[in-house]
Amino acid sequence: DFSQMFYGCESLTSIPDLDMDSATNLNSTFQLTGITKVPKINTRNVTNMGYVLGGCTGITEIPDWDFSKVETMQYAFYNTSIETADINLPKVTELMSTFAYCRKLKSVNFTAPELKGMQLTFNGSTNLESIGLINASNFTYLVNLFNSNMTKLVNFGDESVKEVTVVAHEDECTVVILQGLLEYILCL
């Protein structure tokens, strides 16, 4: 268990490559550190990446990690400086605040066959322009996906998204569904 190993070490700016071959839990491992580059680690057995890089504002890209067994990713990349994400998440069922407050984030593409929904996933990520859901046939719900500061059109580009329930408490959102497919959401 490598959870919270470096949690809150704000003055820590680099970490050497680590032997984490047995790791299954990276919850909060690097959260709130000052790192700008993620060390090379073996993540093939990891199932929990909740908060793993949360609050690491110096991180600018998704690490080249194996996400094949990851089931939990809440707040994994929140408040980082990631601009784009292209990620394969075969076991993840919900993305809760995963990219919240990533203010430089412009586009995200997911391959997520088990993804059922997203909750607060992009809250505060005000530069987001597109979300690509690839192979998300189980996708059914969005809850407060964006905050009320979202003024840009967000395109969803997957034909497998057929019916979506949108719940927004403070947001006023326009949901466009054409021929049974979610085309885009605009929140003002």
Side-chain angles (χ1 to χ4, degrees), residues 116 136-142 159-166 177 180-182:
K116 290 182 173 58
S137 56
N138 291 320
F139 191 77
T140 56
Y141 68 91
L142 300 171
E159 293 179 6
S160 68
V161 179
K162 294 187 174 30
E163 185 176 323
V164 175
T165 302
V166 176
I177 299 177
L181 302 176
L182 178 67

Side-chain angles (χ1 to χ4, degrees), residues 118-183:
M118 296 191 289
Q119 182 173 353
L120 298 166
T121 307
F122 306 105
N123 188 34
S125 298
T126 54
N127 284 310
L128 187 62
E129 296 171 0
S130 68
I131 302 168
L133 291 172
I134 304 163
N135 190 14
S137 56
N138 291 320
F139 191 77
T140 56
Y141 68 91
L142 300 171
V143 180
N144 289 344
L145 191 61
F146 313 104
N147 66 355
S148 57
N149 293 329
M150 177 64 77
T151 58
K152 294 184 176 182
L153 179 69
V154 177
N155 293 307
F156 281 72
D158 182 15
E159 293 179 6
S160 68
V161 179
K162 294 187 174 30
E163 185 176 323
V164 175
T165 302
V166 176
V167 179
H169 298 294
E170 296 177 14
D171 300 352
E172 291 186 24
C173 295
T174 300
V175 179
V176 176
I177 299 177
L178 299 174
Q179 299 175 344
L181 302 176
L182 178 67
E183 292 293 322

Side-chain angles (χ1 to χ4, degrees), residues 59-131:
I59 297 297
T60 59
E61 61 186 21
I62 300 281
D64 186 19
W65 286 346
D66 180 347
F67 294 98
S68 63
K69 293 185 180 175
V70 176
E71 298 170 0
T72 305
M73 289 196 75
Q74 79 274 10
Y75 294 90
F77 306 112
Y78 88 91
N79 197 26
T80 60
S81 297
I82 293 169
E83 293 181 22
T84 62
D86 192 351
I87 190 167
N88 182 8
L89 304 170
K91 303 268 186 193
V92 172
T93 58
E94 180 181 66
L95 293 173
M96 180 175 175
S97 298
T98 305
F99 294 97
Y101 298 98
C102 291
R103 291 176 181 91
K104 294 183 178 183
L105 186 65
K106 292 183 181 177
S107 69
V108 177
N109 290 301
F110 297 107
T111 300
E114 298 300 318
L115 186 63
K116 290 182 173 58
M118 296 191 289
Q119 182 173 353
L120 298 166
T121 307
F122 306 105
N123 188 34
S125 298
T126 54
N127 284 310
L128 187 62
E129 296 171 0
S130 68
I131 302 168

